[in-house]
Amino acid sequence: MISTLLVANRGEIACRIFRTCADLGIRTVAIHSDADEGALHTRVADTAVRLPGAAPAETYLRGDLIVKAALAAGADAVHPGYGFLSENADFARAVRDAGLVWIGPPPGAIEAMASKTRAKELMGLAPLDAHDVSPADLPVLVKAAAGGGGRGMRVVRDLAALPGALEDARAEAASAFGDGEVFVEPYLENGRHVEVQVLADSHGTVWTLGTRDCSLQRRHQKVIEEAPAPGLPPALTEQLYALAERATRAVSYEGAGTVEFLVADGRAHFLEMNTRLQVEHPVTEAVFGVDLVAEQIRVAEGHALPAEQPAAHGHAVEARLYAEDPARGWAPQTGTLHRFTVPDGVRLDTGCADGDTIGVHYDPMLAKVVAHAPTRTEAVRRLAGALERTALHGPVTNRDLLVRSLRHPEFTEARMDTGFYDRHLTALTEPAPDPYAPLAAALADAHGRSRFGGWRNVPSGPQVKRYERAGEEHEVAYRHTRTGLAADGVRVVQAAPHLVVLEVDGVRRKFEIARYGDQVHVNATALTALPRFPDPATEHAPGSLLAPMPGTVVRVAEGLSEGTEVKAGQPLIWLEAMKMEHRITAPTNGTLTALPAAVGRQVEMGALLAVVEAVRPS
C-alpha cells in the first residue's frame, strides 16, 4: 500500500492529485523550482523539495533530481501528472529502479507509444515520406514524433513551404522534447478531434470510459472539451472503442491512458495514444462518477478493476482558462493574479490563488472549469454562465473568448470542428466594452473627493479622466454637484470606491470596482487608468520591433546584424514563452539598424528587440 506519494509536476495537476491523496489518506510531496517556491502546489503539499533553478530543463525535466527528492522525502511512489516527464520511459524505469512505485503504465508501453511514428506502425499505419510529398497530398501536417501540446507542429499548404516547416518543426521539437524527429501526415481539415479514455489493470481488464470531443483548439492545443462527444453514430462510437481497446492491449497497457482520433467523413483516423492522464480527464470523471487518479493509484498497487465498468450519466463540459490574449496571436500574459473567484455549482481545478504571480517559465493555463448536468444544453449553459460571473483580476485571459465560444451557434448545435477558431476568431475577439465601465471607474475614484476639497456654489467645468481598454482610449467626464457626483445621460444612484450604481433609461445597473495601481476592473471589463500627460520616454522610434509577450529569445536569424537588409515578413527573431514559440518578422523592406535581442536573453513584454528602418521611396 502506498503511504507517501511525490508528484513529479507542478501547478494545477499537482494540486488535483494531492486532493485525491488527501481523500485516500496518502501523504504528499511536492517538488518546486525557484520560480515556484511560493506556488499553490508547494503550499498545499505535506512536504516540498526544492529543485534549484527556474527553467524546466534544470528542474521539472531532471529525472535524476526528482528521484533523489522522492527518496529524501521518504516517498514510496511517484505520480508524473501530465507533461514534463509523464511519457518518458527512462524516467519511469529510474523510478522503479529506485524501489519506488510508478503511477503509470509500464516503461515498455510508454516506449511503444512515445513515438507517434512507431505508434502508427503499431496500428498498421504509415506516415508520408517527406521527400515524396506532391501537390496532390496538400495540405499536410509536419509533426514532432516525440511531441505533444501543439509543439513542433506546422500546417503546410504550399509545397515550397515544406522545407522551412520541417526545419522549424525540428528545431522546436529538439528544444521542447530533446528529440528533433518529425514526420509528415495528411492534414484533415474541418475534422473533429475525438478521443477515448481507457483504464487498464495488470489482470487483463480494459475499460473504455466513453468518448470526449476536443475539437476547439488553438495552436493545436485544446481549449474546450466535453464528454461524451456529441452526435457520433453508434456504429462509429463502437469502432472508436474497439480501436482504443486494440491499442491498449497491443502494448499490455496498465493505468489511465487516452487514444486520440480525428473523425472526418464519418471515419475514425488514429492519431496517437497518450500514455498518461489527460488535462481533460475531469469531464470523464464527472460523467462516469469515477476518480481516475484514485484508480491509477489502485492499479499501481496491484488491485484489479471490476469486470463491469461504471455507467455514464449526463454530460460534462470543460473550459481551460489561460493567461493569454487571443486577439494578439494568443500571446501569453504575465503578472499578479489579484483575484480569482469562480461561482459555486461548477468544478474548479487550479494551481493558482489570489496574489500569485503568473510567470514566463511555464504553461499559461490558470485553471480548468467543469460543468456537469443531465443534458449537453444544460451543461454548456451552466459553464458559460459560471465563466461570465467569474472574477478575474490581473493579466489578460481568454475568459471572454470561452464564454462567446460556448454560446456560438456552431458549438451549441454541436457542429464544431478543429477549424472553429480559424473561421471565427476575429468575430469572437471583437472588443465589446461596456460603454459605462469607464464612467463607473471614474466615479468610484472620485468618490469623497472634489476638485476644491468640497462643493462650491460656483459653476465649474467637468472633471475628465482617460482609460485604455483593449488598445482603445476612452475619455469620460463627470461633475461634483451639491447632491453628489453627476454625469450626462445617466443618473448616479450610488458612487462608492468599490460599487457604483447607475440608472440608464430607467434601468439600474451595478458596477463592482477593484483597483490595483493603474489597473481597474469594472465587473468583467479591465481598464488601465491613463496619466493626464503621456510619458515621452515610453515612445519608440518608427520600425521598432517590441516583444509581444514576456519570454526568452531562442533564435536569431542566421547572419543577422546591424546593417543587414531585410524584407517585409522575413523572420528575424524567435521568442519562446510558456510552451509557445512566436516569430518576430520584419514589418517592411528596410535595413536593420539595431539588434539588442540575443539568444538566451529574457525579455519583458514591450521590450525592444530590433529596429528596421524602412526603405525610403526614391
Side-chain angles (χ1 to χ4, degrees):
M1 295 290 289
I2 293 169
S3 62
T4 304
L5 184 147
L6 177 143
V7 176
N9 218 294
R10 63 175 300 279
E12 169 267 322
I13 186 57
C15 292
R16 185 263 170 274
I17 295 168
F18 292 156
R19 189 166 65 241
T20 288
C21 287
D23 290 342
L24 297 178
I26 296 174
R27 292 187 295 273
T28 55
V29 181
I31 55 171
H32 67 86
S33 66
D34 290 338
D36 274 343
E37 183 176 9
L40 184 62
H41 77 277
T42 303
R43 303 198 300 266
V44 300
D46 296 318
T47 308
V49 180
R50 173 184 176 238
L51 303 180
E58 302 172 320
T59 54
Y60 298 109
L61 290 173
R62 285 288 303 273
D64 56 334
L65 296 183
I66 295 172
V67 170
K68 287 181 181 178
L71 295 173
D76 48 21
V78 172
H79 193 305
Y82 52 70
F84 294 130
L85 295 173
S86 62
E87 295 181 278
N88 187 303
D90 289 338
F91 178 57
R93 289 193 184 94
V95 169
R96 289 184 165 190
D97 289 346
L100 302 167
V101 176
W102 168 251
I103 312 295
I110 298 175
E111 216 156 43
M113 289 294 183
S115 167
K116 292 177 173 60
T117 52
R118 289 192 290 274
K120 285 180 179 292
E121 290 168 0
L122 194 65
M123 297 294 287
L125 306 170
L128 295 171
D129 187 321
H131 300 290
D132 296 334
V133 174
S134 70
D137 296 318
L138 298 174
V140 296
L141 182 66
V142 179
K143 202 170 184 180
R151 307 296 302 276
M153 296 176 68
R154 300 290 187 278
V155 177
V156 178
R157 304 179 187 280
D158 180 353
L159 203 57
L162 181 58
L166 288 166
E167 180 183 352
D168 285 350
R170 287 189 185 109
E172 187 175 4
S175 172
F177 313 115
D179 184 345
E181 181 189 353
V182 299
F183 65 96
V184 179
E185 66 181 9
Y187 181 59
L188 301 175
E189 298 195 81
N190 303 324
R192 289 175 59 185
H193 188 121
V194 177
E195 57 192 32
V196 177
Q197 174 72 56
V198 297
L199 188 66
D201 61 22
S202 59
H203 305 276
T205 299
V206 174
W207 286 359
T208 50
L209 291 174
T211 57
R212 295 190 291 251
D213 190 298
C214 310
S215 297
L216 265 63
Q217 304 178 3
R218 90 311 188 236
R219 296 177 180 265
H220 306 290
Q221 291 180 309
K222 301 161 188 172
V223 178
I224 295 176
E225 306 103 344
E226 60 181 304
L232 294 182
L236 179 57
T237 300
E238 290 304 316
Q239 180 190 8
L240 290 168
Y241 291 161
L243 289 170
E245 183 172 347
R246 173 182 159 194
T248 304
R249 293 192 183 280
V251 293
S252 300
Y253 198 83
E254 295 173 21
T258 298
V259 185
E260 302 198 347
F261 303 89
L262 196 65
V263 173
D265 302 321
R267 294 184 299 155
H269 304 264
F270 173 79
L271 290 176
E272 61 186 302
M273 182 177 187
N274 289 309
T275 54
R276 55 173 168 79
L277 198 65
Q278 290 280 87
V279 179
E280 58 272 19
H281 75 273
V283 292
T284 298
E285 292 185 322
V287 169
F288 284 89
V290 298
D291 182 332
L292 288 174
V293 173
E295 295 300 335
Q296 284 184 296
I297 292 172
R298 292 188 183 102
V299 167
E301 289 178 329
H303 298 291
L305 294 170
E308 293 292 326
Q309 67 179 53
H313 297 282
H315 200 96
V317 188
E318 171 183 292
R320 303 188 192 185
L321 271 171
Y322 287 97
E324 65 183 12
D325 189 347
R328 294 177 51 246
W330 311 96
Q333 306 292 298
T334 60
T336 301
L337 186 64
H338 298 289
R339 186 182 177 200
F340 181 28
T341 306
V342 176
D344 293 336
V346 293
R347 169 175 168 173
L348 175 67
D349 283 15
T350 184
C352 304
D354 292 2
D356 284 354
T357 298
I358 310 305
V360 302
H361 299 288
Y362 313 112
D363 188 278
M365 190 175 74
L366 300 176
K368 303 176 308 195
V369 184
V370 186
H372 180 235
T375 67
R376 182 178 190 269
T377 299
E378 292 172 286
V380 171
R381 183 175 62 189
R382 180 174 297 172
L383 181 57
L387 288 168
E388 190 172 48
R389 297 191 305 277
T390 292
L392 268 170
H393 298 168
V396 173
T397 72
N398 68 334
R399 186 264 305 278
D400 291 348
L401 174 84
L402 294 174
V403 174
R404 293 182 182 186
S405 299
L406 290 165
R407 291 173 174 166
H408 192 280
E410 279 192 22
F411 187 82
T412 58
E413 297 166 13
R415 295 185 288 109
M416 65 285 179
D417 56 51
T418 54
F420 179 83
Y421 286 123
D422 292 335
R423 295 191 299 275
H424 303 302
L425 184 61
T426 300
L428 291 170
T429 55
E430 277 291 324
D434 186 324
Y436 297 103
L439 175 60
L443 293 172
D445 186 55
H447 172 72
R449 296 189 296 110
S450 78
R451 187 177 178 184
F452 302 106
W455 181 82
R456 296 179 63 191
N457 191 21
V458 177
S460 63
Q463 304 293 299
V464 176
K465 291 200 172 182
R466 298 183 304 121
Y467 296 91
E468 184 269 334
R469 195 260 185 205
E472 294 185 358
E473 185 176 317
H474 300 266
E475 186 175 277
V476 293
Y478 62 91
R479 300 182 306 280
H480 289 274
T481 72
R482 181 181 302 178
T483 57
L485 295 166
D488 294 338
V490 303
R491 186 169 78 88
V492 181
V493 178
Q494 180 181 347
H498 301 293
L499 178 66
V500 171
V501 180
L502 302 178
E503 185 177 292
V504 183
D505 297 329
V507 178
R508 289 192 179 188
R509 294 187 56 195
K510 293 192 300 183
F511 299 86
E512 294 184 359
I513 291 94
R515 182 160 187 159
Y516 313 93
D518 61 355
Q519 300 300 305
V520 186
H521 292 266
V522 183
N523 292 345
T525 300
L527 304 169
T528 301
L530 299 176
R532 293 182 62 189
F533 305 105
D535 183 359
T538 62
E539 298 180 2
H540 292 278
S544 295
L545 302 182
L546 308 180
M549 65 185 80
T552 304
V553 177
V554 292
R555 292 172 62 193
V556 175
E558 188 175 352
L560 205 63
S561 62
E562 293 184 16
T564 302
E565 300 293 324
V566 297
K567 294 183 179 180
Q570 176 183 338
L572 304 180
I573 299 160
W574 284 258
L575 269 185
E576 185 179 89
M578 300 179 180
K579 293 174 61 178
M580 292 172 57
E581 192 173 87
H582 188 92
R583 292 195 306 175
I584 310 299
T585 60
T588 182
N589 294 339
T591 303
L592 191 72
T593 59
L595 184 63
V599 174
R601 178 188 167 197
Q602 286 197 336
V603 297
E604 294 298 323
M605 186 169 69
L608 181 67
L609 300 177
V611 178
V612 176
E613 185 176 311
V615 175
R616 296 180 180 178
S618 55

